[in-house]
Amino acid sequence: MLDERDVTELLLLRGAEREELFRQARAARSAVFGDEVVVRGVTEITNQCRVNCVFCPMRRDNTRKNSDFRTESSQLVDVAASVKASGINVMFFQGGEIPQTTRVVGEALPGILDLYDGEVEILLNLGNKRRSEYEYLREQGAMSYILKFETSDPRLAEEVRQESLDSRLKCLQDLLDLGYRVGTGSIIGLPGQQVADVARDLVFARDLGVHMCSVAPFIPAPDTPLADHPAGDVELALNAIAVSRLLAPDWLVPAVSALSKIAGEGQYRGLMAGANVITVNFTPDEQRDRYLIYGRDRFVVKRDYASGMIARTGLRPRGSVFLEPSLVETP
């Protein structure tokens, strides 16, 4: 089993040694998932947030200057119909961390399940909530949930999120206890972060017992305290994707849009490094332009772009793996 020292050494590989790392990651992916990439359809449901993360333009301190929005339940069903028409059966709802999303999403889920005749994975990324809220959303039909810890360093976590790491970890444990397929992840390039810290984050994620894990290079965004901080290292992020695959071959590991925001071929290279998830954006134009996660000029993944990129890798698109229980054990 790889330890933090092993992972640190792998993260530092470059040249031919790194290409061999990527080859091994692709082989590990193929052994579990075959030559397939999971395609998700995401809609962003609100840019309002109660948290004051120093890296995010939608942080609480920016609320008054942002043009905010909050999607209603009926609109979520309409977007789900578009996602279904595109042949995608992973319906992903993402939004700022506010209590109101529990009701909005919960009320939409029965209609979405009916739309798909139950053959849909409902994936949520709505932040910290009370256990009773997670339980309600699970009863309504949610199957999976992403909650990134961002960094496993408690001091740095509190600095960048303005909340304790323990509060995040409690929510992750609640989600696992309730039977969700759980994703987490970290940011590469936060202030003061070293390669050994990135290694610690990856091993930490493995030891949590989650089903999905992402690594994203930091993107400096306007109107944030870290607006002038340098972007995260894409090359290090690509190595982290490959190492993630070796640490946990049955993880879903996305090639996130932040890779392409910094480097035009970033997501393609992420798939070639062992990732196996691409997310297509279905947020209506008006709301998407106000979802400022990386600023107004973020990279938005459309269906045709995703299809072409997957084809270039020689892989094939597929639907949810969590609708096939044999592939991943319930914790």
Side-chain angles (χ1 to χ4, degrees), residues 219-244:
I219 294 180
D223 299 318
T224 68
L226 295 184
D228 296 324
H229 189 72
D233 184 350
V234 170
E235 304 307 319
L236 178 57
L238 292 170
N239 280 34
I241 286 173
V243 172
S244 296

PDB file of all heavy atoms in Angstrom, residues 219-244:
ATOM      1  N   ILE A 219      -7.412  28.140  -8.963  1.00  0.00           N
ATOM      2  CA  ILE A 219      -7.583  29.196  -9.963  1.00  0.00           C
ATOM      3  C   ILE A 219      -7.835  30.508  -9.234  1.00  0.00           C
ATOM      4  O   ILE A 219      -8.843  30.641  -8.523  1.00  0.00           O
ATOM      5  CB  ILE A 219      -8.751  28.883 -10.905  1.00  0.00           C
ATOM      6  CG1 ILE A 219      -8.430  27.640 -11.742  1.00  0.00           C
ATOM      7  CG2 ILE A 219      -9.044  30.072 -11.816  1.00  0.00           C
ATOM      8  CD1 ILE A 219      -9.522  27.259 -12.699  1.00  0.00           C
ATOM      9  N   PRO A 220      -6.948  31.482  -9.382  1.00  0.00           N
ATOM     10  CA  PRO A 220      -7.193  32.777  -8.737  1.00  0.00           C
ATOM     11  C   PRO A 220      -8.405  33.447  -9.378  1.00  0.00           C
ATOM     12  O   PRO A 220      -8.547  33.461 -10.603  1.00  0.00           O
ATOM     13  CB  PRO A 220      -5.908  33.564  -9.007  1.00  0.00           C
ATOM     14  CG  PRO A 220      -5.280  32.896 -10.188  1.00  0.00           C
ATOM     15  CD  PRO A 220      -5.680  31.449 -10.124  1.00  0.00           C
ATOM     16  N   ALA A 221      -9.297  33.956  -8.562  1.00  0.00           N
ATOM     17  CA  ALA A 221     -10.533  34.563  -9.058  1.00  0.00           C
ATOM     18  C   ALA A 221     -10.634  36.000  -8.580  1.00  0.00           C
ATOM     19  O   ALA A 221     -10.216  36.321  -7.463  1.00  0.00           O
ATOM     20  CB  ALA A 221     -11.738  33.766  -8.579  1.00  0.00           C
ATOM     21  N   PRO A 222     -11.182  36.874  -9.400  1.00  0.00           N
ATOM     22  CA  PRO A 222     -11.328  38.275  -8.988  1.00  0.00           C
ATOM     23  C   PRO A 222     -12.271  38.411  -7.800  1.00  0.00           C
ATOM     24  O   PRO A 222     -13.085  37.536  -7.534  1.00  0.00           O
ATOM     25  CB  PRO A 222     -11.919  38.939 -10.244  1.00  0.00           C
ATOM     26  CG  PRO A 222     -12.565  37.820 -11.011  1.00  0.00           C
ATOM     27  CD  PRO A 222     -11.736  36.609 -10.734  1.00  0.00           C
ATOM     28  N   ASP A 223     -12.124  39.500  -7.086  1.00  0.00           N
ATOM     29  CA  ASP A 223     -12.990  39.818  -5.944  1.00  0.00           C
ATOM     30  C   ASP A 223     -12.861  38.797  -4.820  1.00  0.00           C
ATOM     31  O   ASP A 223     -13.836  38.495  -4.129  1.00  0.00           O
ATOM     32  CB  ASP A 223     -14.457  39.934  -6.379  1.00  0.00           C
ATOM     33  CG  ASP A 223     -14.673  41.030  -7.406  1.00  0.00           C
ATOM     34  OD1 ASP A 223     -14.087  42.111  -7.236  1.00  0.00           O
ATOM     35  OD2 ASP A 223     -15.405  40.793  -8.385  1.00  0.00           O
ATOM     36  N   THR A 224     -11.670  38.257  -4.658  1.00  0.00           N
ATOM     37  CA  THR A 224     -11.392  37.343  -3.551  1.00  0.00           C
ATOM     38  C   THR A 224     -10.053  37.727  -2.912  1.00  0.00           C
ATOM     39  O   THR A 224      -9.207  38.353  -3.562  1.00  0.00           O
ATOM     40  CB  THR A 224     -11.292  35.874  -4.025  1.00  0.00           C
ATOM     41  OG1 THR A 224     -10.114  35.719  -4.841  1.00  0.00           O
ATOM     42  CG2 THR A 224     -12.515  35.458  -4.805  1.00  0.00           C
ATOM     43  N   PRO A 225      -9.826  37.333  -1.657  1.00  0.00           N
ATOM     44  CA  PRO A 225      -8.544  37.620  -1.017  1.00  0.00           C
ATOM     45  C   PRO A 225      -7.355  36.962  -1.719  1.00  0.00           C
ATOM     46  O   PRO A 225      -6.221  37.411  -1.539  1.00  0.00           O
ATOM     47  CB  PRO A 225      -8.733  37.066   0.397  1.00  0.00           C
ATOM     48  CG  PRO A 225     -10.204  37.152   0.639  1.00  0.00           C
ATOM     49  CD  PRO A 225     -10.826  36.825  -0.692  1.00  0.00           C
ATOM     50  N   LEU A 226      -7.604  35.913  -2.505  1.00  0.00           N
ATOM     51  CA  LEU A 226      -6.510  35.220  -3.191  1.00  0.00           C
ATOM     52  C   LEU A 226      -6.444  35.570  -4.680  1.00  0.00           C
ATOM     53  O   LEU A 226      -5.894  34.827  -5.482  1.00  0.00           O
ATOM     54  CB  LEU A 226      -6.659  33.707  -3.021  1.00  0.00           C
ATOM     55  CG  LEU A 226      -6.533  33.170  -1.594  1.00  0.00           C
ATOM     56  CD1 LEU A 226      -6.612  31.644  -1.583  1.00  0.00           C
ATOM     57  CD2 LEU A 226      -5.229  33.619  -0.950  1.00  0.00           C
ATOM     58  N   ALA A 227      -7.005  36.709  -5.047  1.00  0.00           N
ATOM     59  CA  ALA A 227      -7.049  37.093  -6.460  1.00  0.00           C
ATOM     60  C   ALA A 227      -5.661  37.180  -7.088  1.00  0.00           C
ATOM     61  O   ALA A 227      -5.491  36.909  -8.287  1.00  0.00           O
ATOM     62  CB  ALA A 227      -7.774  38.429  -6.609  1.00  0.00           C
ATOM     63  N   ASP A 228      -4.646  37.534  -6.307  1.00  0.00           N
ATOM     64  CA  ASP A 228      -3.292  37.698  -6.841  1.00  0.00           C
ATOM     65  C   ASP A 228      -2.389  36.500  -6.567  1.00  0.00           C
ATOM     66  O   ASP A 228      -1.198  36.535  -6.886  1.00  0.00           O
ATOM     67  CB  ASP A 228      -2.649  38.954  -6.256  1.00  0.00           C
ATOM     68  CG  ASP A 228      -3.393  40.217  -6.668  1.00  0.00           C
ATOM     69  OD1 ASP A 228      -3.880  40.261  -7.814  1.00  0.00           O
ATOM     70  OD2 ASP A 228      -3.499  41.140  -5.835  1.00  0.00           O
ATOM     71  N   HIS A 229      -2.953  35.457  -5.971  1.00  0.00           N
ATOM     72  CA  HIS A 229      -2.163  34.255  -5.706  1.00  0.00           C
ATOM     73  C   HIS A 229      -1.973  33.478  -7.008  1.00  0.00           C
ATOM     74  O   HIS A 229      -2.900  33.395  -7.819  1.00  0.00           O
ATOM     75  CB  HIS A 229      -2.888  33.386  -4.676  1.00  0.00           C
ATOM     76  CG  HIS A 229      -2.081  32.235  -4.174  1.00  0.00           C
ATOM     77  ND1 HIS A 229      -1.015  32.394  -3.326  1.00  0.00           N
ATOM     78  CD2 HIS A 229      -2.177  30.886  -4.411  1.00  0.00           C
ATOM     79  CE1 HIS A 229      -0.496  31.209  -3.044  1.00  0.00           C
ATOM     80  NE2 HIS A 229      -1.182  30.293  -3.703  1.00  0.00           N
ATOM     81  N   PRO A 230      -0.788  32.899  -7.251  1.00  0.00           N
ATOM     82  CA  PRO A 230      -0.577  32.185  -8.520  1.00  0.00           C
ATOM     83  C   PRO A 230      -1.462  30.960  -8.657  1.00  0.00           C
ATOM     84  O   PRO A 230      -1.858  30.344  -7.670  1.00  0.00           O
ATOM     85  CB  PRO A 230       0.911  31.799  -8.462  1.00  0.00           C
ATOM     86  CG  PRO A 230       1.294  31.897  -7.027  1.00  0.00           C
ATOM     87  CD  PRO A 230       0.429  32.942  -6.419  1.00  0.00           C
ATOM     88  N   ALA A 231      -1.759  30.609  -9.898  1.00  0.00           N
ATOM     89  CA  ALA A 231      -2.571  29.426 -10.178  1.00  0.00           C
ATOM     90  C   ALA A 231      -1.833  28.162  -9.761  1.00  0.00           C
ATOM     91  O   ALA A 231      -0.592  28.120  -9.696  1.00  0.00           O
ATOM     92  CB  ALA A 231      -2.907  29.373 -11.662  1.00  0.00           C
ATOM     93  N   GLY A 232      -2.604  27.119  -9.476  1.00  0.00           N
ATOM     94  CA  GLY A 232      -2.012  25.834  -9.133  1.00  0.00           C
ATOM     95  C   GLY A 232      -1.314  25.189 -10.325  1.00  0.00           C
ATOM     96  O   GLY A 232      -1.597  25.509 -11.484  1.00  0.00           O
ATOM     97  N   ASP A 233      -0.422  24.278 -10.039  1.00  0.00           N
ATOM     98  CA  ASP A 233       0.407  23.617 -11.041  1.00  0.00           C
ATOM     99  C   ASP A 233      -0.382  22.489 -11.717  1.00  0.00           C
ATOM    100  O   ASP A 233      -0.689  21.473 -11.087  1.00  0.00           O
ATOM    101  CB  ASP A 233       1.657  23.060 -10.351  1.00  0.00           C
ATOM    102  CG  ASP A 233       2.649  22.437 -11.312  1.00  0.00           C
ATOM    103  OD1 ASP A 233       2.315  22.261 -12.500  1.00  0.00           O
ATOM    104  OD2 ASP A 233       3.757  22.082 -10.862  1.00  0.00           O
ATOM    105  N   VAL A 234      -0.705  22.668 -12.997  1.00  0.00           N
ATOM    106  CA  VAL A 234      -1.455  21.640 -13.726  1.00  0.00           C
ATOM    107  C   VAL A 234      -0.664  20.344 -13.815  1.00  0.00           C
ATOM    108  O   VAL A 234      -1.228  19.243 -13.731  1.00  0.00           O
ATOM    109  CB  VAL A 234      -1.838  22.152 -15.129  1.00  0.00           C
ATOM    110  CG1 VAL A 234      -2.391  21.020 -15.985  1.00  0.00           C
ATOM    111  CG2 VAL A 234      -2.865  23.266 -15.020  1.00  0.00           C
ATOM    112  N   GLU A 235       0.643  20.451 -13.977  1.00  0.00           N
ATOM    113  CA  GLU A 235       1.458  19.231 -14.100  1.00  0.00           C
ATOM    114  C   GLU A 235       1.395  18.413 -12.804  1.00  0.00           C
ATOM    115  O   GLU A 235       1.284  17.192 -12.841  1.00  0.00           O
ATOM    116  CB  GLU A 235       2.914  19.589 -14.427  1.00  0.00           C
ATOM    117  CG  GLU A 235       3.077  20.442 -15.666  1.00  0.00           C
ATOM    118  CD  GLU A 235       2.395  19.841 -16.900  1.00  0.00           C
ATOM    119  OE1 GLU A 235       2.477  18.607 -17.089  1.00  0.00           O
ATOM    120  OE2 GLU A 235       1.778  20.600 -17.663  1.00  0.00           O
ATOM    121  N   LEU A 236       1.435  19.085 -11.686  1.00  0.00           N
ATOM    122  CA  LEU A 236       1.301  18.393 -10.400  1.00  0.00           C
ATOM    123  C   LEU A 236      -0.101  17.800 -10.271  1.00  0.00           C
ATOM    124  O   LEU A 236      -0.270  16.678  -9.777  1.00  0.00           O
ATOM    125  CB  LEU A 236       1.588  19.368  -9.258  1.00  0.00           C
ATOM    126  CG  LEU A 236       1.451  18.827  -7.835  1.00  0.00           C
ATOM    127  CD1 LEU A 236       2.350  17.624  -7.602  1.00  0.00           C
ATOM    128  CD2 LEU A 236       1.754  19.935  -6.816  1.00  0.00           C
ATOM    129  N   ALA A 237      -1.107  18.534 -10.737  1.00  0.00           N
ATOM    130  CA  ALA A 237      -2.480  18.031 -10.665  1.00  0.00           C
ATOM    131  C   ALA A 237      -2.646  16.770 -11.514  1.00  0.00           C
ATOM    132  O   ALA A 237      -3.339  15.822 -11.111  1.00  0.00           O
ATOM    133  CB  ALA A 237      -3.458  19.110 -11.120  1.00  0.00           C
ATOM    134  N   LEU A 238      -2.016  16.726 -12.669  1.00  0.00           N
ATOM    135  CA  LEU A 238      -2.105  15.535 -13.520  1.00  0.00           C
ATOM    136  C   LEU A 238      -1.445  14.331 -12.840  1.00  0.00           C
ATOM    137  O   LEU A 238      -1.976  13.221 -12.872  1.00  0.00           O
ATOM    138  CB  LEU A 238      -1.454  15.810 -14.874  1.00  0.00           C
ATOM    139  CG  LEU A 238      -2.189  16.823 -15.760  1.00  0.00           C
ATOM    140  CD1 LEU A 238      -1.327  17.202 -16.953  1.00  0.00           C
ATOM    141  CD2 LEU A 238      -3.533  16.274 -16.220  1.00  0.00           C
ATOM    142  N   ASN A 239      -0.306  14.550 -12.221  1.00  0.00           N
ATOM    143  CA  ASN A 239       0.318  13.461 -11.458  1.00  0.00           C
ATOM    144  C   ASN A 239      -0.589  13.008 -10.324  1.00  0.00           C
ATOM    145  O   ASN A 239      -0.702  11.810 -10.038  1.00  0.00           O
ATOM    146  CB  ASN A 239       1.663  13.912 -10.895  1.00  0.00           C
ATOM    147  CG  ASN A 239       2.780  13.859 -11.919  1.00  0.00           C
ATOM    148  OD1 ASN A 239       2.551  14.097 -13.097  1.00  0.00           O
ATOM    149  ND2 ASN A 239       3.992  13.555 -11.472  1.00  0.00           N
ATOM    150  N   ALA A 240      -1.264  13.962  -9.686  1.00  0.00           N
ATOM    151  CA  ALA A 240      -2.162  13.621  -8.579  1.00  0.00           C
ATOM    152  C   ALA A 240      -3.343  12.781  -9.068  1.00  0.00           C
ATOM    153  O   ALA A 240      -3.817  11.885  -8.359  1.00  0.00           O
ATOM    154  CB  ALA A 240      -2.652  14.889  -7.885  1.00  0.00           C
ATOM    155  N   ILE A 241      -3.828  13.048 -10.265  1.00  0.00           N
ATOM    156  CA  ILE A 241      -4.888  12.219 -10.840  1.00  0.00           C
ATOM    157  C   ILE A 241      -4.402  10.788 -11.008  1.00  0.00           C
ATOM    158  O   ILE A 241      -5.091   9.825 -10.640  1.00  0.00           O
ATOM    159  CB  ILE A 241      -5.355  12.803 -12.189  1.00  0.00           C
ATOM    160  CG1 ILE A 241      -6.197  14.052 -11.947  1.00  0.00           C
ATOM    161  CG2 ILE A 241      -6.138  11.777 -13.002  1.00  0.00           C
ATOM    162  CD1 ILE A 241      -6.558  14.801 -13.214  1.00  0.00           C
ATOM    163  N   ALA A 242      -3.207  10.639 -11.574  1.00  0.00           N
ATOM    164  CA  ALA A 242      -2.653   9.295 -11.783  1.00  0.00           C
ATOM    165  C   ALA A 242      -2.440   8.574 -10.461  1.00  0.00           C
ATOM    166  O   ALA A 242      -2.751   7.380 -10.326  1.00  0.00           O
ATOM    167  CB  ALA A 242      -1.338   9.387 -12.564  1.00  0.00           C
ATOM    168  N   VAL A 243      -1.917   9.279  -9.478  1.00  0.00           N
ATOM    169  CA  VAL A 243      -1.686   8.667  -8.171  1.00  0.00           C
ATOM    170  C   VAL A 243      -3.012   8.288  -7.514  1.00  0.00           C
ATOM    171  O   VAL A 243      -3.129   7.234  -6.871  1.00  0.00           O
ATOM    172  CB  VAL A 243      -0.862   9.611  -7.270  1.00  0.00           C
ATOM    173  CG1 VAL A 243      -0.778   9.065  -5.851  1.00  0.00           C
ATOM    174  CG2 VAL A 243       0.541   9.799  -7.836  1.00  0.00           C
ATOM    175  N   SER A 244      -4.022   9.130  -7.680  1.00  0.00           N
ATOM    176  CA  SER A 244      -5.347   8.803  -7.143  1.00  0.00           C
ATOM    177  C   SER A 244      -5.837   7.470  -7.686  1.00  0.00           C
ATOM    178  O   SER A 244      -6.390   6.646  -6.944  1.00  0.00           O
ATOM    179  CB  SER A 244      -6.357   9.907  -7.513  1.00  0.00           C
ATOM    180  OG  SER A 244      -6.020  11.128  -6.915  1.00  0.00           O
TER     181      SER A 244
END
